[in-house]
Amino acid sequence: MSFFEGIDPVIVDWVIIPALIFLARICDVTLGTLRIVFVSKGDKVMSPILGFLEVLIWLVAITQVMENLDNVASYLAWAGGFAMGNFLGLRVEQKLALGQMVVRVITVEPADELIKRLSGHGYRLTCVDARGTRGSVNLLFMIVKRKKLQHVLDIIRSYNPQAFYSVEDVRSVADVGVPQAEEQRQLSLRRLFPLRKGK
């Protein structure tokens, strides 16, 4: 390849090309993992963009593999990049914390204090009196942004470490309550950077 003129061909074939394949594979698999997440959320903008970039990078990588079929290092780089791309894709998705979650809490103890704590932080919830195998229980439903999930779970555990809860993904909701602290922060930013309506 003209890009590597003057470099030892052995180094190009066994180090540089496999390294490029490895990096390209990491990029396209990471983008593919994120694309699947956006597809599951119903995002019609990011999904096609990520898909375009994913396939473009994949074509570059597979071209290099096909041009070096007799090079075992290319196969190892391809497989290693695929594995690392899956790992990084999941890590990035966890950091982005996209979407909303539904949290269900079942507690034998009266939930008045827990409701008060959650409401005090600006979370909306619904409480239902229910009956379990051990008698009367309180069943709480709430939908929170995924970025706030850990905060909600911390409140639940501090109220009752033995409380049973389950968490599931939600594709779409009509409205999600914003905690008061975050709402005040958004309002202060809007005052600093007012948005002008277009004509």
Side-chain angles (χ1 to χ4, degrees):
M1 294 181 66
S2 59
F3 292 112
F4 307 118
E5 288 181 1
I7 302 176
D8 188 342
V10 175
I11 296 177
V12 172
D13 293 339
W14 292 92
V15 178
I16 297 178
I17 295 297
L20 292 175
I21 292 172
F22 180 77
L23 292 174
R25 200 70 179 118
I26 287 176
C27 291
D28 90 80
V29 175
T30 300
L31 290 174
T33 304
L34 293 175
R35 176 182 56 81
I36 292 171
V37 172
F38 280 106
V39 168
S40 68
K41 302 296 182 185
D43 193 309
K44 297 179 182 178
V45 177
M46 288 302 298
S47 299
I49 294 174
L50 292 176
F52 174 82
L53 295 173
E54 175 193 355
V55 172
L56 184 63
I57 296 171
W58 180 86
L59 285 172
V60 173
I62 194 65
T63 299
Q64 293 305 314
V65 172
M66 297 303 291
E67 290 179 354
N68 296 274
L69 290 176
D70 58 343
N71 190 341
V72 178
S74 296
Y75 300 132
L76 295 176
W78 178 273
F82 181 83
M84 185 59 71
N86 277 288
F87 174 77
L88 288 178
L90 290 172
R91 291 292 294 171
V92 171
E93 192 274 335
Q94 289 173 353
K95 291 294 183 182
L96 291 176
L98 302 169
Q100 296 90 22
M101 313 294 286
V102 59
V103 180
R104 298 182 185 89
V105 184
I106 299 175
T107 175
V108 177
E109 300 178 10
D112 295 340
E113 182 62 29
L114 178 57
I115 293 172
K116 184 177 179 181
R117 291 187 189 183
L118 291 169
S119 299
H121 285 87
Y123 297 109
R124 300 177 187 174
L125 56 89
T126 300
C127 181
V128 179
D129 292 328
R131 191 165 188 82
T133 55
R134 301 181 188 177
S136 298
V137 296
N138 289 126
L139 179 58
L140 278 64
F141 294 90
M142 57 188 306
I143 295 178
V144 298
K145 291 185 177 180
R146 192 171 165 194
K147 292 180 180 179
K148 298 295 180 181
L149 177 61
Q150 190 57 51
H151 183 237
V152 171
L153 296 182
D154 289 340
I155 294 174
I156 295 171
R157 293 189 190 112
S158 67
Y159 161 75
N160 182 3
Q162 303 301 320
F164 174 81
Y165 61 85
S166 62
V167 180
E168 295 177 20
D169 280 318
V170 176
R171 179 165 180 173
S172 62
V173 293
D175 185 24
V176 177
V178 180
Q180 293 174 355
E182 184 177 343
E183 188 175 10
Q184 290 173 357
R185 195 180 313 118
Q186 291 176 356
L187 288 173
S188 62
L189 286 174
R190 285 180 190 145
R191 290 191 193 104
L192 289 174
F193 305 103
L195 296 175
R196 295 182 180 178
K197 293 184 178 180
K199 295 180 179 180

